[in-house]
Every structure is written in structure tokens, then in C-alpha cells.
């Protein structure tokens, strides 16, 4: 049984790599705040890595529903992104371990380009977060295993950008640029049971929401131009303050791993996040670049709750080399607006340890962004009234990390 414990636990390195590499989930989820390093057997460890994701999404048959008659046969959606993470774990004293971490757990990227039917809704947008966290656990021996009580906090920053091209009659064109930012605190709590004899670990963790009630910034409409000078009311264009309110919603995640044979480890997870909290997000303070009057502008997400289910197997080949493979299904969060459909992906990874102090991990995944359609009639912002379809598209990702134990 000791052989099973040793080899299964060593195989868990790839398991952690694959699980932390789930960076294209629904909503704005890019893997959340991963706390697996908290369970390291070494008294101290430093872990750093990055995951690069490249979703290949193309929108087709794009047609505006605002009466403008604009249409485009296809619009490529850019948006490759990288998710870095850094963790430092320490055994404070025998029953207490703590993990200080940094990552960018939530975000979105898209570049639709100029002069197409999607441009009045968005030319480019991004949502980026920085999360600085501290998570600790208190361990109590229970039989042949141990029970951990887990708690932590995070300070999170968000920066959001949206640009929209104005395509109106009589040659009025321009680009409105919105920039907003805010910060918030969140917390997490959970419990885990471990039985090292069979490499068993079961954990349940709750993450609170992050309330961004004071998103503030500016809208820049200085680039707006009319066909004739009389088209513009003096003072209608410029840089004006804007504000909004949004949140990163609460989440619950269950993880399970267990040795199943000498050198073999099975693992899986289920994650739920309440993305349905993000419906229509109005941006306050926007003025019409033509009349100077208040203009309704909103970020119309209309998400539903997200579910991510993953499972796989890891194997220890030698004292230095182990590998893992996993299958992940993510339920798309888009409803009547957006192109976040269901995603299926297969990931694999290798872990190489030249000695008991260093571990290097490499991983990659390939997946399918499933087909669908979107028809939004502009319940929030009429500029977002648009319909389009999309086929099955490719999703590619790669990751690398290094861990030093001491």
C-alpha cells in the first residue's frame, strides 16, 4: 500500500496542472482561484505558471435588427489570452498551512474589428482581473486520514474596456471608448478530507461574490465626426465620467481524487457559478455625441448559471516522470445574447521531477466550441440588437509551470 500511496501522490502533479488549466469556462471564468497547492506535503513550496488559451470563434450571417440594414457574412472574434498564477505555501506550525497567491481568475477578450455589422455593438472589449489571495487550513487527524478546515480572503481588482463604432445615417461616424475600474474583497471557505494511504482527497469549497458597486471611469467620444459641422451640438463630444455596477458571482466547487492502482490516480471536479446574476449592466453618464442628451448604453450579457464537469486519470511512469489526461465539459452561459455555447475539451500533461525539490509541468488541450445562434432584440441597449449564427469552432490551450519545494 505504501507503493500505491507514493506513486499515486507523485502522479498528482499533472492532475493539478490539468485542473488549473481549465481556463475557458462560462461567463468570465478563467479557472477561478486554485488552492490545490495548499495540500503540498512539503513544508514550503513556490509555484509559478501560465496558461495560454486561443479560442477560434467566427460569427456568421451577422445582421443588425436596429433598422440600419447592416449585415456581414462573417466576423472573426479575436481574443487569445494568458492566465498567470503564482503561489507560495508555508506550514506556519504543525496543524496550520497557508497559501499566498496571485492570479487573473476572471476575464474576457474580443476584437470584432471595424466597419462590420457587429461594430455598433462592440469593436473591442476586455475584462481583466487581478486577484491577491491568502488561504489557510487547519488540519485535524481523523482515523487514518485528516480533516482540513479551509478559509481565505482575496483582494480583487477589475479593469473593463469597451469600444463601439457609431454607424449612423448622413455619414456620422465615430468610436466611443469606455474605460471603467474598481476593486472588491471576497472570501472563501471549505473543508477537505485526506487519506494519504490511498491518495484520497475530497474537498468542497465555497467562493463568495465580489461586489463591484463603484465601477467608475470615462467615455471618450472625441473621435466622433459628423458629415456636416451642424450635426454636432457644441459640447456633445468629449471625455465624460461614467459609472456602473456589476459583480463576479458566488461559486461552489467539489473536487475528488483517489489512487486506484499502484501508480494510478483518478480525479474529477464539479464547479457551479451563479453567472445568471449578470444580466443587463447599464453604463451611467453616457451622452449622445449628436445631441448631448443622455444616451442609454449597457453591457447586455443575459447569462445563465455555469457548470463545469471534469475528470481524468494520472499515471506515474518513473520516479521522475508522470502524466495525466482529462476530459472537461463546460455548459455555455449564453442565452439570447452572446456566443458562449457548450465546450468539450481533452487535456493532457506531463510532470518531470529531476529531484525531490523541483517539479516541471507542461500541458496542452484541444476542444470544441459548439455551434449555436444568437438573436437579441435590444431589451437593454438597442445598439446591441443583432442576430448571428456560429459553427463548431476550435479551442486550443497550453500551459507550463514550475514548482520548487523546500
Amino acid at each position: 500500500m505504501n507503493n500505491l500511496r507514493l506513486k499515486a501522490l507523485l502522479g498528482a502533479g499533472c492532475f493539478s496542472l490539468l485542473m488549473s488549466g481549465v481556463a475557458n469556462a462560462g461567463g468570465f471564468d478563467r479557472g477561478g482561484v486554485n488552492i490545490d497547492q495548499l495540500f503540498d506535503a512539503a513544508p514550503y513550496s513556490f509555484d509559478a505558471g501560465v496558461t495560454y488559451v486561443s479560442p477560434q470563434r467566427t460569427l456568421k450571417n451577422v445582421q443588425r435588427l436596429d433598422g440600419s440594414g447592416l449585415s456581414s457574412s462573417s466576423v472573426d472574434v479575436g481574443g487569445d489570452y494568458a492566465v498567470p498564477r503564482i503561489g507560495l505555501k508555508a506550514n506556519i506550525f504543525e496543524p496550520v498551512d497557508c497559501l499566498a497567491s496571485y492570479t487573473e481568475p476572471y476575464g474576457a477578450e474580443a476584437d470584432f474589428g471595424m466597419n462590420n455589422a457587429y461594430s455598433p455593438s462592440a469593436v473591442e472589449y476586455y475584462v481583466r482581473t487581478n486577484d491577491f489571495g491568502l488561504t489557510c487550513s487547519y488540519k485535524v487527524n481523523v482515523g487514518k486520514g485528516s480533516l482540513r478546515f479551509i478559509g481565505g480572503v482575496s483582494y480583487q481588482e477589475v479593469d473593463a474596456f469597451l469600444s463601439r463604432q457609431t454607424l449612423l445615417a448622413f455619414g456620422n461616424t465615430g468610436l466611443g471608448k469606455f474605460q471603467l475600474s474598481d476593486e472588491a474583497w471576497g472570501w472563501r471557505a471549505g473543508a477537505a478530507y485526506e487519506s494519504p494511504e490511498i491518495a484520497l482527497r475530497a474537498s468542497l469549497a465555497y467562493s463568495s461574490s465580489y461586489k463591484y458597486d463603484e465601477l467608475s471611469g470615462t467615455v471618450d467620444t472625441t473621435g466622433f465626426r459628423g458629415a456636416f459641422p451642424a450635426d454636432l451640438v457644441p459640447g456633445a463630444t468629449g471625455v465624460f465620467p461614467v459609472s456602473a455596477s456589476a459583480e463576479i458571482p458566488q461559486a461552489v466547487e467539489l473536487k475528488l481524487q483517489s489512487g486506484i492502482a499502484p501508480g494510478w490516480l483518478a480525479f474529477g471536479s464539479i464547479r457551479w457559478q451563479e453567472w445568471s446574476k449578470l444580466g443587463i449592466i447599464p453604463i451611467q453618464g453616457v451622452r449622445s455625441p449628436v445631441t448631448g442628451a443622455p444616451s442609454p448604453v449597457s453591457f447586455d450579457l443575459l447569462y445563465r448559471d455555469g457548470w463545469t464537469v471534469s475528470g481524468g486519470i494520472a499515471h506515474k511512469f518513473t520516479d521522475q516522470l508522470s502524466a495525466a489526461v482529462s476530459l472537461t465539459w463546460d455548459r455555455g452561459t449564453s442565452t439570447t445574447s452572446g456566443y458562449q455555447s457548450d465546450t468539450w475539451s481533452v487535456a493532457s500533461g506531463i510532470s518531470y521531477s529531476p529531484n525531490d525539490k523541483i517539479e516541471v509541468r507542461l500541458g496542452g488541450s484541444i476542444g470544441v466550441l459548439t455551434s449555436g445562434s444568437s438573436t437579441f432584440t435590444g431589451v437593454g441597449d438597442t445598439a446591441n440588437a443583432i442576430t448571428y449564427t456560429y459553427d463548431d469552432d476550435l479551442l486550443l490551450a497550453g500551459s507550463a509551470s514550475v514548482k520548487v519545494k523546500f
Side-chain angles (χ1 to χ4, degrees), residues 279-303:
I280 295 175
I281 303 174
I283 302 177
Q284 308 293 337
V286 183
R287 303 183 187 183
S288 167
V290 177
T291 67
S295 179
V297 172
S298 61
F299 206 29
D300 301 324
L301 299 173
L302 300 176
Y303 285 152

Side-chain angles (χ1 to χ4, degrees), residues 123-352:
V123 172
E124 180 184 1
Y125 81 85
Y126 65 74
V127 176
R128 297 169 182 166
T129 59
N130 293 297
D131 187 285
F132 304 88
L134 179 65
T135 307
C136 295
S137 70
Y138 184 87
K139 185 163 59 175
V140 178
N141 293 329
V142 179
K144 293 184 178 181
S146 59
L147 181 65
R148 286 182 188 254
F149 298 97
I150 302 170
V153 296
S154 279
Y155 170 76
Q156 198 172 103
E157 302 170 334
V158 66
D159 181 31
F161 173 82
L162 168 67
S163 62
R164 306 202 317 186
Q165 186 177 10
T166 305
L167 300 173
L168 299 176
F170 310 114
N172 294 324
T173 62
L175 193 66
K177 301 176 183 179
F178 302 83
Q179 187 89 44
L180 298 102
S181 61
D182 197 6
E183 57 278 326
W185 286 88
W187 56 274
R188 66 190 65 89
Y193 177 76
E194 302 168 278
S195 179
E197 187 68 20
I198 57 173
L200 173 68
R201 182 199 302 157
S203 65
L204 180 65
Y206 169 82
S207 298
S208 74
S209 61
Y210 295 81
K211 301 286 188 179
Y212 292 107
D213 294 327
E214 298 181 0
L215 279 164
S216 60
T218 61
V219 58
D220 184 349
T221 58
T222 54
F224 185 87
R225 296 292 182 270
F228 305 99
D231 287 344
L232 303 182
V233 173
T237 62
V239 179
F240 306 105
V242 292
S243 62
S245 178
E247 70 176 88
I248 297 296
Q250 62 182 346
V252 178
E253 185 169 31
L254 172 67
K255 289 185 176 182
L256 178 65
Q257 71 174 61
S258 178
I260 54 176
W264 290 89
L265 183 81
F267 57 87
S269 69
I270 300 175
R271 178 181 173 85
W272 166 83
Q273 193 153 14
E274 197 179 10
W275 289 111
S276 59
K277 298 287 284 186
L278 296 186
I280 295 175
I281 303 174
I283 302 177
Q284 308 293 337
V286 183
R287 303 183 187 183
S288 167
V290 177
T291 67
S295 179
V297 172
S298 61
F299 206 29
D300 301 324
L301 299 173
L302 300 176
Y303 285 152
R304 63 178 178 174
D305 289 353
W307 287 90
T308 303
V309 181
S310 184
I313 294 177
H315 179 56
K316 174 72 175 180
F317 294 101
T318 69
D319 289 340
Q320 290 77 37
L321 184 65
S322 58
V325 63
S326 70
L327 174 66
T328 298
W329 167 74
D330 183 81
R331 188 180 83 156
T333 54
S334 291
T335 55
T336 58
S337 174
Y339 45 86
Q340 285 194 2
S341 58
D342 287 10
T343 301
W344 291 88
S345 60
V346 176
S348 62
I350 60 172
S351 172
Y352 177 69

Side-chain angles (χ1 to χ4, degrees), residues 53-118:
V53 183
S54 179
Q56 310 293 310
R57 180 61 95 188
T58 300
L59 309 183
K60 297 184 176 182
N61 306 311
V62 184
Q63 297 182 357
R64 299 212 58 79
L65 303 176
D66 56 5
S68 65
L70 292 172
S71 64
S72 299
S73 59
S74 67
V75 176
D76 291 332
V77 180
D80 293 5
Y81 58 89
V83 182
R85 59 183 178 84
I86 299 173
L88 178 62
K89 179 258 182 180
N91 177 238
I92 307 303
F93 49 90
E94 184 47 38
V96 176
D97 294 290
C98 287
L99 170 66
S101 61
Y102 167 78
T103 187
E104 298 174 10
Y106 301 103
E109 305 271 349
D111 186 352
F112 302 94
M114 299 278 285
N115 302 315
N116 61 66
Y118 207 101

